[in-house]
Amino acid sequence: MTLLAIYDHSNTLAGGQIAPLPQLFTGNAELIASELGQRGIGFERWPARASLAPDADQAAILAAYAPEIARVQQGGGYATVDAIRLNPEHPDRVALRQKFLAEHTHSEDEVRFFVEGQGLFCLHIKGEVLQLVCQQNDWIAVPAGTRHWFDMGSEPRFCALRFFNNSEGWVAAFSGDPIAQSYPFLDALLQPQGAP
Ligand SMILES: [Fe+2]
């Protein structure tokens, strides 16, 4: 289930020794879209499509979602799109997870659509931290300049379409703030006993 937790960062102790308490923790899709929308984050749930073949390549994945991709690209935005797919057997999963785990910004929007599986987006906006467990069929648009990090978990299992305005793709500016260490990671949020 898609989940959103919102924290007042001023109440969070650095270092993550004590799990911070969210002010809001919800799986209500309408409330999630509303709370994110109030903070300038785009969020939609797109209709499900037939599941992809295990060996579907990049071209097959993009072809399966051609109508949705065309809709996002209407008006000329996000001219570059690709698909990233990871499973727990991926040989580089540890390094890939680390790459996204530190707080960073981009000079362009970060726009993702989860075709399969799940991932955790964490957004640091004006004294708040928002943690969003994205699931299959979730579409998220994080505006340029928003501080954020992403956790695919210790056993990554997801496929996401990535939309870019920049043909060079993923370029990050790291803030150097260890804030991610103070908040739960995906594994903890997916455990029922780990939920606040
Ligand atoms: Fe990012």
Side-chain angles (χ1 to χ4, degrees), residues 16-178:
Q17 296 93 340
I18 301 173
L21 269 182
Q23 296 179 305
L24 174 72
F25 186 78
T26 182
N28 180 309
E30 282 184 20
L31 184 57
I32 289 172
S34 167
E35 294 288 337
L36 292 172
Q38 289 170 35
R39 293 162 178 84
I41 309 297
F43 176 79
E44 295 177 19
R45 301 218 75 217
W46 291 0
R49 287 194 168 260
S51 49
L52 297 166
D55 59 350
D57 62 10
Q58 181 96 199
I61 296 168
L62 297 181
Y65 287 89
E68 287 87 350
I69 292 169
R71 187 160 63 81
V72 172
Q73 291 178 329
Q74 255 179 8
Y78 310 119
T80 304
V81 57
D82 70 8
I84 179 171
R85 196 179 204 190
L86 261 80
N87 59 42
E89 290 77 44
H90 195 292
D92 298 329
R93 68 184 184 283
V94 173
L96 285 167
R97 184 186 185 198
Q98 286 302 318
K99 180 179 173 184
F100 301 106
L101 259 189
E103 186 186 76
H104 61 275
T105 60
H106 306 287
S107 60
E108 64 170 292
D109 301 348
E110 179 155 322
V111 182
R112 302 286 183 269
F113 174 62
F114 284 80
V115 170
E116 291 175 334
Q118 65 227 337
L120 174 66
F121 263 98
C122 304
L123 312 168
H124 181 189
I125 303 171
K126 291 183 182 170
E128 290 182 321
V129 167
L130 288 78
Q131 291 197 297
L132 179 69
V133 179
C134 287
Q135 300 281 359
Q136 183 182 36
N137 301 325
D138 287 345
W139 180 87
I140 181 171
V142 179
T146 305
R147 292 180 170 222
H148 67 279
W149 63 97
F150 176 77
D151 185 20
M152 60 181 72
S154 60
E155 305 257 303
R157 193 182 296 280
F158 73 100
C159 177
L161 303 183
R162 309 190 298 177
F163 296 85
F164 301 101
N165 281 323
N166 174 354
S167 61
E168 292 175 10
W170 197 84
V171 182
F174 290 92
S175 69
D177 187 335

